[in-house]
Amino acid sequence: MFADRAKIFIRSGKGGDGHCSFRRELYVPNGGPDGGDGGKGGDLIFEVDEGLNTLVNYRHKRKYAAGDGEQGGKRRCHGKDGKDLVLRVPEGTVIKEAVSGKVIADMSGDNRRQIVLKGGKGGLGNQHFATSTMQVPKYAQPGQPARELEVYMELKVIADVGLIGFPNVGKSTLLSRVTNAEPKIANYHFTTLNPNLGVVDLDGAKGFVMADIPGLIEGASEGVGLGHEFLRHVERTKLMIHVVDAAGTEGRDPVDDIYKINAELAAYNPEIAQRPQVIAANKTDLIYEPEVDPVQRLKDEFEPKGIRVFPISGATGKGISELLYYVSSQLDQMDTAPVIFEQEYFPDDELIYEDLPYTVEQIDGMYVVEGPKIEKMLGYTNLDSEKGFAFFQKFLKDSGILEDLETAGIQEGDTVRMYGLQFDYYK
């Protein structure tokens, strides 16, 4: 069963709570606090699996959760970290936030593995809170909560060239003749129910990957027919071969067919409709002494617009070689980088806009910023990494904390403390 879409609910692991305990042993006076830290919650990770080609595994199970971190123990015992959960998907899967539809990750190109939801940081045990003035801390830090998200996954096939056109114009026959693909071929509409991929090998020229997209019909962009289900697979193609029935064996006008299909592409995504096209005037072996040569009519209509027309026959193989070598030469002139969808939704940004309280106070000559908003941010952010530190700076600015510090009278060189983190303030 081919499945190119799925909606699932994902959750990272909760951080384990810190432990509150005191060392009590014979002959050890004033043992002090010895509560251990909680374990880190597991991350929710997506990874490309070369052996997969559909999302069918995600049709039957909808909820996925990483392991929670364990609570810290006595004698400074650290709780066990939660187990990461790795969800394996086929290359070309685009992961989107379900409500907004914004891209979280495109699992293609160099992106083979991505952490989508980070696990919560484990809470600190009470051993960390002992000071000269508070030698018996009865407080341990709770672990950071899990993070949850509903995501929508779409598989967009990775092909250089897409075969588009009305049903039954010979796209599958062409693919089967020029590649090792074995699509189902029959003389009725919607024989092709799934996109089929094949590799075109050419002597003395660079090969390419070709995809047969199920037939489109008028109204496809609005959900008519089957083709609208697969329009997304055209999004990664760099060039399209528009296959038409030049012989008009089903009574349709090939020129009119091209305009109708291009209108559906434009309605779905105007940028796709602007990509380079080549017309394959198929079934020329079935043209018998017409009053007007349909191939010449196609050339007169489209070649002045820069769209080359190649008369071919999928049944006999006539003209196919010239078409493929031309397509290969056009691809050589294009950018070789694959079409990648840029990230638009950043789960970490929720920490900035989440409405949680915090306080800004001046204590003992330093500015102290505390509260659930700060605690949660520190629990998910790795300040040792360049990316994590950049997010930390964005967090301080966008959440209004910098503005509040300036209102409180902070000057350059003053010290800011956020729980276990201290830094000097400079504009």
Side-chain angles (χ1 to χ4, degrees):
M1 175 184 178
F2 182 80
D4 62 353
R5 291 174 297 169
K7 185 185 283 188
I8 61 173
F9 181 84
I10 57 176
R11 173 187 176 275
S12 64
K14 175 190 177 301
D17 296 337
H19 192 70
C20 183
S21 62
F22 298 89
R23 186 177 181 189
R24 292 186 179 88
E25 294 181 44
L26 192 61
Y27 309 120
V28 183
N30 304 321
D34 71 347
D37 301 343
K40 176 187 173 297
D43 296 332
L44 198 294
I45 303 167
F46 282 84
E47 186 174 86
V48 171
D49 187 332
E50 306 288 353
L52 296 176
N53 56 16
T54 81
L55 295 170
V56 69
N57 294 341
Y58 299 99
R59 284 289 183 91
H60 309 296
K61 181 182 176 185
R62 291 201 64 243
K63 294 186 177 181
Y64 297 86
D68 293 336
E70 291 185 359
Q71 182 178 357
K74 297 178 181 179
R75 300 181 183 178
R76 308 194 175 197
C77 288
H78 194 290
K80 185 179 178 182
D81 290 347
K83 189 175 181 181
D84 295 341
L85 180 61
V86 179
L87 300 182
R88 291 179 169 80
V89 294
E91 184 175 6
T93 301
V94 179
I95 301 154
K96 299 180 179 180
E97 198 273 326
V99 177
S100 66
K102 292 182 177 179
V103 174
I104 300 173
D106 183 352
M107 306 305 296
S108 57
D110 295 331
N111 189 25
R112 318 306 286 177
R113 181 183 174 95
Q114 182 168 331
I115 298 173
V116 171
L117 292 181
K118 296 176 184 174
K121 188 177 179 181
L124 300 175
N126 69 334
Q127 59 172 310
H128 295 278
F129 301 102
T131 64
S132 58
T133 56
M134 186 176 67
Q135 298 180 8
V136 189
K138 296 182 179 178
Y139 166 78
Q141 191 181 38
Q144 295 292 327
R147 305 186 68 185
E148 301 175 342
L149 197 62
E150 189 172 35
V151 298
Y152 180 69
M153 299 188 293
E154 284 185 335
L155 176 59
K156 300 177 190 285
V157 300
I158 299 175
D160 303 305
V161 176
L163 296 175
I164 59 171
F166 269 82
N168 215 29
V169 293
K171 299 188 300 296
S172 296
T173 302
L174 175 60
L175 183 75
S176 67
R177 179 169 278 275
V178 302
T179 74
N180 58 357
E182 298 179 355
K184 183 178 180 182
I185 298 171
N187 190 28
Y188 58 85
H189 285 190
F190 305 121
T191 311
T192 304
L193 302 180
N194 311 318
N196 292 301
L197 270 73
V199 177
V200 178
D201 291 319
L202 296 172
D203 290 334
K206 191 175 178 181
F208 52 88
V209 178
M210 182 186 285
D212 168 20
I213 310 300
L216 302 175
I217 62 173
E218 197 170 6
S221 59
E222 299 171 1
V224 179
L226 290 176
H228 76 283
E229 293 285 331
F230 303 103
L231 274 166
R232 71 182 68 85
H233 295 296
V234 184
E235 292 186 40
R236 291 196 198 270
T237 59
K238 297 172 185 174
L239 180 148
M240 285 171 281
I241 298 178
H242 202 141
V243 185
V244 291
D245 178 359
T249 57
E250 296 192 353
R252 290 198 311 268
D253 178 6
V255 172
D256 188 46
D257 279 3
I258 291 172
Y259 281 121
K260 284 179 178 176
I261 295 298
N262 284 342
E264 295 306 322
L265 291 174
Y268 176 73
N269 186 331
E271 188 272 326
I272 293 175
Q274 298 302 315
R275 291 184 192 170
Q277 282 191 24
V278 177
I279 295 173
N282 194 24
K283 302 189 181 181
T284 53
D285 55 306
L286 299 179
I287 299 174
Y288 301 106
E289 300 181 5
E291 294 181 8
V292 180
D293 181 3
V295 174
Q296 189 58 49
R297 183 164 163 254
L298 285 165
K299 288 184 176 183
D300 293 343
E301 182 72 25
F302 294 103
E303 289 197 341
K305 299 176 182 179
I307 303 174
R308 286 285 303 274
V309 177
F310 288 84
I312 68 166
S313 169
T316 66
K318 179 185 175 183
I320 291 178
S321 180
E322 292 86 345
L323 168 68
L324 297 180
Y325 276 100
Y326 175 78
V327 168
S328 178
S329 69
Q330 293 301 299
L331 291 173
D332 285 343
Q333 300 172 31
M334 297 179 188
D335 184 5
T336 57
V339 178
I340 303 293
F341 296 91
E342 295 296 327
Q343 186 170 2
E344 304 168 318
Y345 183 90
F346 298 84
D348 284 347
D349 284 358
E350 287 188 3
L351 300 173
I352 296 174
Y353 305 112
E354 202 168 3
D355 189 18
L356 294 172
Y358 66 90
T359 58
V360 177
E361 299 176 292
Q362 192 173 4
I363 303 173
D364 297 332
M366 67 174 64
Y367 290 83
V368 180
V369 186
E370 293 182 337
K373 192 177 189 76
I374 310 303
E375 208 170 347
K376 191 167 185 180
M377 183 276 298
L378 292 176
Y380 290 118
T381 308
N382 177 16
L383 298 179
D384 294 331
S385 71
E386 185 179 339
K387 187 177 178 182
F389 188 73
F391 171 75
F392 174 65
Q393 291 178 308
K394 177 179 168 67
F395 173 84
L396 293 180
K397 181 180 178 182
D398 293 356
S399 62
I401 292 172
L402 283 183
E403 189 178 334
D404 290 344
L405 284 168
E406 290 169 0
T407 303
I410 196 168
Q411 300 295 320
E412 290 207 7
D414 288 347
T415 302
V416 180
R417 189 184 80 208
M418 297 181 177
Y419 294 101
L421 175 69
Q422 279 190 202
F423 62 93
D424 293 334
Y425 171 81
Y426 290 99
K427 254 190 171 180

